[in-house]
């Protein structure tokens, strides 16, 4: 039997293009008005996958995630070619989870069956909101009805699907969010990602926010919105298994668990990050972000890697803590001690436990409590100090 805490290898593939740039988004996504030569990208993805496989050696791929950008702008043949390449370089687990992020427009939904035929078995749709005024404010290209139609098509085409909503939007009240979330859950099956709107630096939303033209909910309202989220999602059988991700038991996104459980993953494509085990040493890798520069780099040297750092054990201990404490299942403190060379500070745990922010479970795991999640960053900082 494998150990979920340590055995798993994921491959992340980044498709860096979108039809338009949403004003809140700081992902590595670019708008191009000229056509995109998908065959050229397929060749470059293949080169980078090959170079990564040569570097780390044989693996069994347990999860693949095509993220973006907007991967649902890729032709199904492109997706199929990338999946075939992964299968040529590594063995692929029979129960591999293959997720593709999709924008819920009607055009993209027409490709869903093609993705299924290419090997995708899970889609994650960026619904974001279920009212048209909000969708417009968020700069989205779809209406609520179009998104719901795309969810329906996803349900018919894939055995597993999820969708994303953004809450704590300007002017959103807990009552309005309660109704919207309840409506969303009517359409959800096994998984939902519920993100609080974050004002990311250097985005149009950041400029509007700084100018006082975009007013986000105050701390008390944001907390009330968070509490509504937990209450409704749990009551409807979708408790949070991670700070922003909700699933029925067993339906968690296994790829994202690879990150949060601090397992190994390869990052392929422009601006992708990886954590690779090379001869027993953990490396943090990152590739060139700009798509055209990434292409040229791969074509010249076989991969687009611009940064490759060996992580010290202390850095791994910090990353392990930061990722693992986002999970409702928490962490195995022994794994922390193996990285750090010392146990977590018992005094700090006792004081956080006294305040009700963490708890130790019967099997020895340490986790953040529902009261601790809203102040997760502070809890992690305290434990890591
Ligand atoms: C890479 S994006 C999504 C994929 C797809 N392009 C889409 O927009 O539908 C992943 C998710 O991150 C969330 N997201 C992006 N920027 C955010 C922000 N500033 N605050 C909160 N959530 C955000 C959105 O819910 C989005 O669906
Ligand atoms: S939210 Fe999605 S569609 Fe919008 S810019 Fe970001 S990646 Fe592209």
């Amino acid at each position: 039997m494998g150990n979920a805490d340590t055995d798993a290898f994921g491959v992340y593939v980044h498709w860096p293009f979108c039809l338009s740039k949403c004003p809140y988004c700081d992902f590595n996504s670019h708008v191009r008005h000229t056509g995109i030569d998908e065959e050229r990208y397929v060749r470059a993805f293949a080169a980078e996958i090959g170079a990564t496989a040569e570097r780390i050696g044989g693996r069994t791929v347990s999860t693949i995630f095509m993220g973006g950008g907007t991967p649902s702008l890729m032709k199904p043949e492109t997706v199929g070619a990338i999946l075939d390449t992964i299968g040529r370089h590594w063995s692929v687990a029979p129960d591999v989870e293959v997720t593709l992020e999709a924008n819920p427009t009607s055009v993209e939904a027409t490709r869903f069956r093609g993705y299924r035929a290419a090997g995708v078995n899970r889609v994650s749709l960026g619904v974001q909101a279920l009212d048209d005024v909000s969708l417009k404010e968020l700069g989205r290209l779809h209406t609520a009805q179009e998104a719901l139609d795309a969810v329906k098509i996803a349900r018919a085409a894939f055995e597993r699907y999820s969708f994303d909503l953004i809450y704590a939007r300007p002017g959103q009240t807990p009552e309005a969010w309660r109704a919207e979330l309840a409506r969303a859950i009517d359409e959800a099956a096994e998984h939902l990602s519920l993100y609080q709107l974050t004002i990311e630096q250097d985005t149009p939303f950041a400029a509007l926010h700084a100018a006082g033209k975009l007013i986000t909910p105050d701390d008390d309202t944001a907390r009330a919105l968070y509490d509504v989220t937990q209450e409704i999602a749990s009551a409807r059988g979708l408790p949070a298994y991670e700070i922003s991700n909700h699933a029925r038991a067993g339906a968690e996104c296994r790829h994202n668990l690879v990150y949060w459980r601090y397992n190994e993953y390869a990052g392929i494509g422009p601006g992708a990050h990886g954590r690779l085990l090379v001869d027993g040493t953990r490396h943090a890798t990152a590739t060139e972000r700009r798509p055209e520069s990434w292409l040229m780099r791969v074509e010249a040297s076989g991969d687009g890697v611009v940064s490759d750092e060996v992580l010290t054990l202390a850095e791994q201990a910090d990353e392990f803590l930061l990722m693992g404490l986002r999970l409702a299942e928490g962490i195995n403190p022994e794994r922390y001690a193996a990285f750090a060379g010392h146990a977590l500070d018992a005094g700090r745990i006792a004081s956080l436990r006294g305040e009700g922010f963490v708890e130790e479970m019967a099997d020895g795991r340490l986790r953040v409590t529902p009261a601790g999640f809203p102040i997760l960053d502070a809890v992690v900082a305290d434990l890591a100090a």
Side-chain angles (χ1 to χ4, degrees):
M1 218 352 236
N3 177 355
D5 257 357
T6 50
D7 300 341
F9 173 61
V11 180
Y12 175 79
V13 181
H14 191 77
W15 184 253
F17 302 111
C18 292
L19 287 182
S20 67
K21 184 82 192 176
C22 304
Y24 55 85
C25 175
D26 80 339
F27 282 81
N28 185 33
S29 63
H30 306 260
V31 178
R32 295 287 179 263
H33 296 293
T34 52
I36 291 154
D37 183 350
E38 292 193 29
E39 284 72 26
R40 193 169 163 206
Y41 277 91
V42 165
R43 287 192 295 277
F45 283 130
E48 195 163 70
I49 290 164
T52 310
E54 198 163 308
R55 184 138 188 253
I56 63 174
R59 291 286 188 278
T60 299
V61 177
S62 34
T63 62
I64 299 171
F65 194 101
M66 300 202 178
T70 305
S72 53
L73 295 175
M74 280 189 272
K75 291 187 278 201
E77 299 77 46
T78 300
V79 170
I82 297 168
L83 295 178
D84 287 350
T85 307
I86 293 172
R88 270 200 307 279
H89 289 280
W90 287 299
S91 58
V92 174
D95 65 343
V96 65
E97 175 190 273
V98 184
T99 305
L100 180 125
E101 270 181 354
N103 284 30
T105 71
S106 52
V107 178
E108 290 165 283
T110 60
R111 290 191 278 264
F112 286 0
R113 289 202 179 273
Y115 297 137
R116 180 67 197 97
V120 172
N121 54 28
R122 182 175 182 276
V123 277
S124 172
L125 295 156
V127 170
Q128 320 306 6
L130 284 182
D131 85 90
D132 289 343
V133 173
S134 297
L135 286 169
K136 215 170 179 152
E137 270 171 13
L138 292 170
R140 302 295 291 180
L141 299 177
H142 54 88
T143 61
Q145 190 54 52
E146 217 176 341
L148 291 173
D149 290 345
V151 167
K152 205 184 216 172
I153 297 169
R155 186 181 301 137
F158 297 96
E159 44 275 67
R160 299 178 63 196
Y161 71 92
S162 173
F163 57 89
D164 300 350
L165 294 174
I166 296 180
Y167 71 97
R169 307 189 302 256
Q172 194 176 33
T173 62
E175 295 68 37
W177 173 230
R178 184 178 282 279
E180 184 178 2
L181 181 56
R183 171 80 188 94
I185 294 179
D186 289 342
E187 302 297 330
E190 54 163 40
H191 192 286
L192 268 184
S193 300
L194 304 171
Y195 299 111
Q196 283 203 37
L197 176 65
T198 309
I199 302 298
E200 302 287 358
Q201 269 181 17
D202 300 326
T203 57
F205 265 24
L208 287 171
H209 191 248
K213 292 181 182 154
L214 185 146
I215 299 171
T216 47
D218 60 31
D219 287 352
D220 287 347
T221 312
R223 179 60 200 262
L225 289 162
Y226 174 83
D227 290 344
V228 162
T229 308
Q230 306 314 312
E231 177 205 319
I232 298 198
S234 299
R236 299 280 301 268
L238 290 162
Y241 67 97
E242 188 267 350
I243 186 150
S244 307
N245 282 276
H246 297 250
R248 301 194 193 286
E252 299 84 4
C253 172
R254 284 168 47 213
H255 184 82
N256 285 336
L257 286 176
V258 166
Y259 305 144
W260 297 320
R261 288 178 175 162
Y262 207 44
N263 291 326
E264 185 184 23
Y265 56 95
I268 305 294
H273 291 255
R275 289 289 179 278
L276 298 176
L277 293 169
V278 184
D279 301 326
T281 309
R282 195 178 305 258
H283 289 236
T285 63
T287 53
E288 163 64 42
R289 285 171 65 85
R290 203 175 149 263
E292 295 75 12
S293 311
W294 174 82
L295 260 187
M296 287 194 287
R297 200 175 256 272
V298 177
E299 287 168 352
S301 66
D303 67 50
V305 175
V306 289
S307 138
D308 181 351
E309 283 172 40
V310 172
L311 293 170
T312 64
L313 284 169
E315 287 169 334
Q316 292 180 64
D318 284 347
E319 287 195 342
F320 167 72
L321 203 60
L322 191 72
M323 298 310 264
L325 287 179
R326 296 167 63 131
L327 288 169
E329 69 182 22
I331 59 154
N332 175 353
E334 285 171 14
R335 234 185 124 200
Y336 175 86
F339 284 128
H342 58 81
L344 283 162
D345 187 312
R348 285 177 194 274
I349 294 180
S351 110
L352 286 166
R353 194 181 46 221
E355 291 173 281
F357 296 144
V358 300
E359 63 187 333
E360 285 159 304
M361 277 123 64
D363 61 1
R365 295 182 78 88
L366 176 74
R367 69 175 180 193
V368 174
T369 60
F373 270 118
I375 54 152
L376 179 62
D377 292 349
V379 172
V380 174
D382 198 1
L383 282 172

